[in-house]
Amino acid sequence: KKAAFQTYVFFVLILGAVFLATYYFYRLTSTEFLERKIADSLLTITENVDEAISYKMDSDYQRLEHYMDGKTYDEVDGEVLNGLLSEDIEFARITEDGLEYKGLLLLFNQTFIPENTIENKISIVNFSDMIIGTTDTKSYIFFNVNDVLFFIDSNSYLNKMFLSSEDLPENMYFLINKDGLIYYQLDMEANNKFYEYYLRSSNSEQVATSVKEQIYSGEASYKTSITFSNKEYYLCYSPVSNQSTSNEFYVVYLFETESAFSSMGMLTYQLVTLFGLYCLIVILAIIGIYIILMRKNSDIEGSMVIHYYDKPYIIRVNKKGKILGYNSTVRRTISRRMKYKYVNEFEHEDGVDLVDAIKKQTPFTVSFDDVDDLRKSVLMIPVKNIFSKYLVGTDITYQDSSYKSKTLHNQITNLPNLDLLLDVLDRHIKYLEHCAVKDREVLKSSIVLFDIKQFSNFNKVFGRKMGNQILCKISERVKKYLDGKNADLYHTEIDLFAIFFDSLESFEQVSAYVEEIIDLFKKPLEIDNNNLIVDIKCGIFNIELQKYDKLDARKAYENCQITLMQAKSLTSLKYAVYNATFSTAATKEQAMTKDLSIAIEKNEFVMFYQPQYNNEERRIVGFEALVRWDNPKYKFQSPAIFIELAEKNNMIIQIGRFIMDQTFQAAKRFEKYNIHVSMNVSPVQLMQAGFVNEVLECANKYELKAGSVAIEITETFLMENFNYIIEKLNLLRNKGFSIHLDDFGTGYSSMLYLKELPINTIKIDKEFIRHLATDKYSRAIVNKIVSLARSLELDIIAEGVEKDDQNQVLIKTGCNIIQGYLISRGVSFDDAMQLVNEYNVEKTKQIAKVKKVKKG
């Protein structure tokens, strides 16, 4: 009853303290939290506007650049130009002294410097500042394409990209340059300098200078308190990350503080709700813990009564590890028990702090001599009581030796396992730290991790018993090599082995050892009259404490694992030595893997279609379906990166199903134009059981005709798995699917493979097309590929065709179907339909025919 009352009072006090601390913390942080959240939200708005402006400027410039490809100023068609962009656009030509505009020569003001403005790819200028005698004070966006200036009224161009003030707190927005000159400002003439008019007019010079320096840093940020016209504003700014201009533009927003707070009223309500919910959870948790502890306390007290005179060893200690009492079993068993005043005085494993283990309730083993001078091993399990702790022990004297052996050694090879390796590394690192403190010089040490390439295939083909024999043979061969060296071999995982090298003269020495170990396996392993060749990959981590802030055994082993992964990813290397960039790459890959998993759940993928044009038929005959990840975080990364990662983590199966559904849906809509769609298939998908049935079910779902879809597979994978997948390809071809062999010429092709494979088309890799017009070797290779394909009655598609002179060479060699930027990059389905309309239906667009060579 006394213990129950004490526990009750204790929890009431704890509950009161938690309430007071929580309320104080809420009052202290809620205002600051709201300000930070509001500022972050407003900064996001600013960055979104910045991204919209950057993207539009870049895409419009690229459209104009593509339009002007091969054109001069005199060939510019104003009507075509106005249909190119969504704004009214004018054009002029830069001369030495001014602009040529509609047959007139407009001279520059003497103070105007073209080099700093309109000679850049993109600029924003007032005509009144640029041309003599001009009163037009509006600002214009100028696009310079080979000294031809295209210009648009900045108000009509930019206004739609700034968010509507109706949906935001009261605000003002600007587009300024680094010097603070306002290029664009709604409802006011843009002739003020932002710094002087908006900052220095109402704020101290220190505040104005601070803001100016922050903007100069080139990073998006905000300032929470700016005064203008007797009102407080949030200032948010973001640099325009534009690839087409060297000028430095900034999007700037001034959000009125009071309006911003009122618009975020819901956040305040949510914060109060969360606080109330938190308090309720704390109350319920404390009551629950109190009930549980009282029940556990009752159980412990009952157990103590039952077992006090029974076999278990029970020792009562305080929080500092001081021994307060024993039960009768301990008193009868321990010899010279009075010498033990503290629990740490018992013999135990080196490096284990028993007081810390008791606090964490972690079991541990102690040893002592009994009254007959026999050695006893007792496994102690710490149990909490309210004001003290009990150690409840079990005699494991006769189990201890075999128990340790089993838990610290691999059951197949009988080599020390990962736990023992980590223990050895932990003690070794502590020794190195001690030597560093004492300024003692020590010899070098390294960890080597190696595994067997494609070990899972051995298990599948020969069975697990043979796989175990392979592991034993490998361990025997490496152990024999390490005999006489300062090194120990460990079997850490299924087919993963580690070697700890100690007392090395130099780190180059371990690299030499690794090369010799790799050479060991050039000789086959003889198992049950079978000669098996195994290939290993190695990762080396050199233990250098001065290079790392906090290096422990687990981190050292993980670094070695990362290095082994790096070696396995590079086919040309047999081993790799750890570099700090490996960890960074691994961290980025982990982040991308997590984001990719979320992307699959949220369906963040979109499909693009790149046209394939037949020069002979003068029309688009097909599209290649290309998947893209619609995530701003990865918009500048090649799709090949996330596809490779998806294949590695088996996520490509789900992504592949999305691609298949979208591709077949698009193919159905292209059928009436006699256009097929080709779909890239990952090796992981093709190797999956049931893949052919999935394809056929999806085709039946959309009632596709034969020939509407082509399956694309890469050459390298095809050659490595030829015998396994040829049956699947035959099934698909017999069901009306065309088979395309992608990236032809980059793998291990042979005439024998091409003859036996059920393929309809080969695609010439873009690397052979890149220098086709200027390199005789590229032309010779393409000629040979085309000749080979024609002899085997295969169609040919040339990828990566970007220029007309490349196309001319391809037509002359007999390759009529091309794919590349000369026609179009990958576009959305709606834009793809527009291309079909322009090239196939209305025929308003065409690719140039073969140019005839003039005689004489």
Side-chain angles (χ1 to χ4, degrees):
K1 291 181 179 179
K2 182 179 179 182
F5 177 76
Q6 290 174 339
T7 305
Y8 176 77
V9 172
F10 174 76
F11 273 101
V12 168
L13 294 174
I14 290 293
L15 185 61
V18 167
F19 269 118
L20 289 174
T22 304
Y23 179 74
Y24 176 76
F25 178 76
Y26 169 75
R27 291 297 300 273
L28 187 67
T29 60
S30 59
T31 302
E32 181 182 345
F33 172 79
L34 284 172
E35 285 186 349
R36 187 170 64 253
K37 282 293 183 183
I38 291 169
D40 286 342
S41 175
L42 299 179
L43 179 60
T44 300
I45 293 171
T46 307
E47 288 178 321
N48 289 340
V49 172
D50 158 37
E51 289 181 5
I53 293 173
S54 300
Y55 176 79
K56 183 167 177 58
M57 284 184 173
D58 274 335
S59 59
D60 287 351
Y61 185 85
Q62 289 171 8
R63 287 194 184 97
L64 291 170
E65 190 175 40
H66 183 72
Y67 171 75
M68 286 299 294
D69 188 16
K71 290 187 179 66
T72 63
Y73 172 73
D74 296 328
E75 294 174 321
V76 177
D77 188 331
E79 293 183 3
V80 174
L81 193 62
N82 282 325
L84 190 63
L85 303 182
S86 57
E87 286 82 10
D88 294 333
I89 185 167
E90 299 285 346
F91 59 96
R93 176 164 56 189
I94 301 176
T95 66
E96 184 176 351
D97 301 319
L99 300 180
E100 180 183 340
Y101 174 64
K102 294 184 177 180
L104 300 175
L105 180 61
L106 308 176
L107 298 177
F108 290 140
N109 282 322
Q110 292 183 352
T111 57
F112 181 69
I113 305 175
E115 293 85 353
N116 296 341
T117 52
I118 60 173
E119 289 191 5
N120 291 317
K121 290 183 177 180
I122 300 176
S123 55
I124 304 176
V125 186
N126 293 343
F127 264 112
S128 59
D129 295 336
M130 179 170 57
I131 302 300
I132 296 174
T134 301
T135 58
D136 187 354
T137 59
K138 291 190 296 183
S139 64
Y140 290 82
I141 309 287
F142 287 86
F143 298 92
N144 184 343
V145 183
N146 299 328
D147 289 338
V148 177
L149 282 182
F150 300 91
F151 53 92
I152 305 169
D153 183 352
S154 63
N155 188 60
S156 65
Y157 189 85
L158 295 172
N159 187 41
K160 66 185 71 173
M161 284 179 283
F162 283 90
L163 300 179
S164 171
S165 296
E166 297 175 1
D167 303 324
L168 300 174
E170 183 181 333
N171 66 83
M172 296 179 284
Y173 50 82
F174 316 86
L175 188 67
I176 70 172
N177 71 357
K178 190 173 182 180
D179 296 325
L181 183 64
I182 301 174
Y183 283 139
Y184 173 71
Q185 178 182 16
L186 184 66
D187 298 333
M188 291 184 67
E189 294 183 356
N191 56 5
N192 291 313
K193 276 201 170 185
F194 180 80
Y195 298 137
E196 279 73 11
Y197 185 70
Y198 289 94
L199 291 182
R200 290 195 173 91
S201 61
S202 304
N203 299 277
S204 67
E205 183 63 26
Q206 182 179 2
V207 170
T209 302
S210 171
V211 171
K212 192 171 182 179
E213 288 176 352
Q214 289 176 5
I215 295 179
Y216 277 5
S217 70
E219 296 182 359
S221 187
Y222 56 79
K223 196 166 183 66
T224 55
S225 181
I226 293 296
T227 304
F228 179 71
S229 299
N230 297 322
K231 286 186 177 181
E232 290 293 320
Y233 287 86
Y234 286 105
L235 170 66
C236 298
Y237 50 87
S238 179
V240 177
S241 306
N242 194 298
Q243 298 177 355
S244 302
T245 177
S246 58
N247 287 339
E248 297 187 43
F249 301 147
Y250 297 86
V251 172
V252 177
Y253 263 103
L254 285 177
F255 294 98
E256 202 269 315
T257 303
E258 185 176 342
S259 176
F261 261 92
S262 62
S263 68
M264 299 293 282
M266 181 58 69
L267 183 60
T268 306
Y269 171 77
Q270 292 173 348
L271 197 62
V272 173
T273 304
L274 284 174
F275 173 71
L277 183 62
Y278 168 75
C279 290
L280 179 61
I281 291 171
V282 169
I283 292 171
L284 294 176
I286 290 177
I287 293 173
I289 291 170
Y290 170 75
I291 294 171
I292 291 170
L293 286 180
M294 290 304 297
R295 287 179 179 175
K296 292 296 180 184
N297 182 62
S298 176
D299 292 342
I300 292 170
E301 294 291 342
S303 298
M304 287 170 57
V305 172
I306 294 170
H307 295 293
Y308 190 79
Y309 292 98
D310 205 350
K311 185 177 178 180
Y313 297 81
I314 298 178
I315 302 174
R316 188 162 64 96
V317 297
N318 64 12
K319 63 181 181 180
K320 295 182 179 180
K322 185 177 181 180
I323 296 173
L324 304 177
Y326 306 95
N327 73 338
S328 61
T329 305
V330 179
R331 285 198 297 270
R332 288 195 308 265
T333 305
I334 296 181
S335 173
R336 298 180 296 276
R337 65 180 181 274
M338 296 307 295
K339 72 175 183 178
Y340 300 117
K341 301 294 183 183
Y342 289 87
V343 71
N344 266 327
E345 294 176 1
F346 283 102
E347 291 185 32
H348 54 279
E349 296 179 21
D350 292 340
V352 177
D353 185 348
L354 299 189
V355 175
D356 187 56
I358 293 169
K359 288 179 182 177
K360 296 177 180 178
Q361 289 188 278
T362 304
F364 56 87
T365 302
V366 297
S367 300
F368 52 84
D369 294 329
D370 67 5
V371 292
D372 297 320
D373 289 329
L374 296 176
R375 198 69 173 164
K376 289 281 187 182
S377 293
V378 177
L379 176 65
M380 292 291 187
I381 300 175
V383 179
K384 282 187 178 181
N385 194 14
I386 299 176
F387 299 109
S388 61
K389 296 177 176 61
Y390 289 89
L391 306 178
V392 180
T394 302
D395 192 339
I396 59 169
T397 304
Y398 300 106
Q399 308 171 29
D400 195 37
S401 57
S402 60
Y403 169 77
K404 288 184 178 179
S405 175
K406 288 180 181 179
T407 57
L408 298 177
H409 287 77
N410 185 276
Q411 299 302 301
I412 297 171
T413 59
N414 203 33
L415 289 174
N417 65 10
L418 177 59
D419 291 333
L420 195 53
L421 172 62
L422 294 177
D423 182 60
V424 169
L425 288 177
D426 184 60
R427 283 187 273 119
H428 180 72
I429 290 171
K430 287 179 179 178
Y431 168 72
L432 293 180
E433 290 172 345
H434 175 74
C435 291
V437 172
K438 299 294 184 180
D439 201 21
R440 293 179 189 167
E441 188 174 350
V442 293
L443 293 174
K444 296 174 173 57
S445 54
S446 296
I447 313 168
V448 174
L449 208 58
F450 70 89
D451 72 352
I452 307 161
K453 188 177 179 182
Q454 296 180 336
F455 178 73
S456 59
N457 290 344
F458 286 118
N459 278 335
K460 290 177 183 176
V461 175
F462 300 109
R464 189 172 297 278
K465 182 179 178 181
M466 176 74 83
N468 291 345
Q469 288 179 298
I470 292 171
L471 295 174
C472 292
K473 288 287 185 181
I474 287 172
S475 66
E476 289 171 9
R477 189 171 288 188
V478 176
K479 276 183 72 176
K480 186 176 179 181
Y481 169 78
L482 295 175
D483 190 28
K485 298 179 176 64
N486 289 319
D488 293 306
L489 179 64
Y490 299 82
H491 189 173
T492 58
E493 294 179 44
I494 299 172
D495 64 329
L496 201 59
F497 294 84
I499 307 171
F500 176 53
F501 286 97
D502 195 7
S503 303
L504 298 165
E505 295 294 337
S506 67
F507 290 126
E508 289 75 14
Q509 190 177 357
V510 75
S511 297
Y513 287 153
V514 167
E515 290 177 358
E516 291 175 357
I517 291 171
I518 292 170
D519 288 340
L520 290 176
F521 295 98
K522 291 181 178 178
K523 180 182 177 182
L525 297 175
E526 186 176 340
I527 301 174
D528 294 340
N529 298 320
N530 292 310
N531 288 329
L532 301 178
I533 296 292
V534 298
D535 188 16
I536 68 169
K537 290 274 191 171
C538 302
I540 303 172
F541 177 72
N542 297 321
I543 301 175
E544 300 173 271
L545 295 186
Q546 68 275 15
K547 285 189 176 182
Y548 310 98
D549 292 335
K550 293 181 179 179
L551 182 66
D552 56 23
R554 177 63 67 175
K555 186 64 178 175
Y557 182 76
E558 288 174 353
N559 287 346
C560 208
Q561 283 183 305
I562 291 169
T563 312
L564 176 59
M565 289 172 56
Q566 188 71 14
K568 290 167 70 174
S569 68
L570 302 172
T571 56
S572 60
L573 291 181
K574 289 291 185 181
Y575 71 91
V577 181
Y578 179 78
N579 185 299
T581 57
F582 294 172
S583 294
T584 304
T587 303
K588 288 181 179 178
E589 182 173 304
Q590 290 169 357
M592 182 180 279
T593 302
K594 182 178 179 181
D595 291 342
L596 200 57
S597 177
I598 296 170
I600 292 172
E601 293 178 3
K602 295 185 176 180
N603 197 19
E604 293 179 357
F605 300 99
V606 294
M607 297 302 298
F608 281 63
Y609 302 88
Q610 188 172 32
Q612 297 165 345
Y613 182 87
N614 190 314
N615 284 295
E616 191 173 38
E617 297 178 8
R618 311 283 288 163
R619 71 184 191 89
I620 292 173
V621 294
F623 284 91
E624 181 179 359
L626 305 167
V627 68
R628 295 292 182 263
W629 188 358
D630 188 18
N631 187 324
K633 187 176 178 180
Y634 302 107
K635 68 178 181 179
F636 295 117
Q637 286 196 350
S638 168
I641 296 175
F642 81 78
I643 290 173
E644 181 181 352
L645 187 62
E647 289 176 340
K648 186 188 298 184
N649 292 281
N650 216 34
M651 298 178 185
I652 196 65
I653 302 298
Q654 293 168 277
I655 298 173
R657 288 175 181 142
F658 167 82
I659 294 171
M660 187 187 303
D661 184 81
Q662 294 294 303
T663 300
F664 286 21
Q665 186 178 351
K668 185 63 182 176
R669 297 179 67 180
F670 282 128
E671 272 184 354
K672 63 180 179 181
Y673 301 102
N674 194 23
I675 292 173
H676 72 266
V677 182
S678 59
M679 174 182 72
N680 290 281
V681 174
S682 162
V684 179
Q685 290 175 270
L686 196 56
M687 297 291 283
Q688 181 195 13
F691 171 74
V692 173
N693 288 333
E694 280 191 19
V695 174
L696 297 179
E697 286 174 6
C698 194
N700 291 334
K701 173 183 174 182
Y702 291 105
E703 300 177 346
L704 291 176
K705 298 177 183 177
S708 297
V709 172
I711 302 295
E712 286 197 14
I713 185 165
T714 57
E715 177 190 349
T716 303
F717 170 73
L718 200 59
M719 299 309 109
E720 292 176 351
N721 301 273
F722 180 84
N723 293 325
Y724 182 80
I725 66 171
I726 190 169
E727 183 180 354
K728 291 190 175 185
L729 295 180
N730 272 316
L731 286 171
L732 290 171
R733 183 172 175 176
N734 292 337
K735 292 295 183 179
F737 291 86
S738 299
I739 308 297
H740 291 186
L741 184 55
D742 199 10
D743 299 337
F744 185 81
T746 60
Y748 316 101
S749 308
S750 73
M751 292 183 68
L752 177 62
Y753 278 134
L754 290 179
K755 182 180 178 182
E756 294 184 0
L757 282 169
I759 60 175
N760 308 89
T761 304
I762 60 175
K763 300 184 74 175
I764 304 175
D765 189 72
K766 61 186 177 182
E767 289 302 318
F768 299 114
I769 306 300
R770 189 186 304 275
H771 305 294
L772 187 61
T774 57
D775 179 43
K776 64 179 182 180
Y777 298 103
S778 296
R779 287 197 297 273
I781 292 170
V782 171
N783 265 315
K784 291 293 184 184
I785 294 174
V786 173
S787 177
L788 175 63
R790 285 187 172 277
S791 67
L792 296 173
E793 299 182 346
L794 299 174
D795 293 328
I796 315 136
I797 300 174
E799 292 183 296
V801 181
E802 298 183 357
K803 299 178 182 178
D804 184 65
D805 54 2
Q806 295 170 340
N807 190 32
Q808 298 296 327
V809 175
L810 287 167
I811 295 173
K812 291 173 184 176
T813 61
C815 176
N816 286 316
I817 304 177
I818 62 171
Q819 177 180 338
Y821 288 359
L822 180 62
I823 304 129
S824 172
R825 64 184 66 215
V827 295
S828 66
F829 179 82
D830 291 339
D831 290 340
M833 291 296 291
Q834 179 65 28
L835 288 173
V836 172
N837 190 53
E838 292 171 346
Y839 280 95
N840 293 21
V841 181
E842 297 177 356
K843 297 190 180 296
T844 56
K845 283 188 177 182
Q846 293 293 327
I847 302 298
K849 293 184 177 179
V850 180
K851 299 174 183 176
K852 296 182 178 179
V853 180
K854 295 181 179 179
K855 296 182 179 180

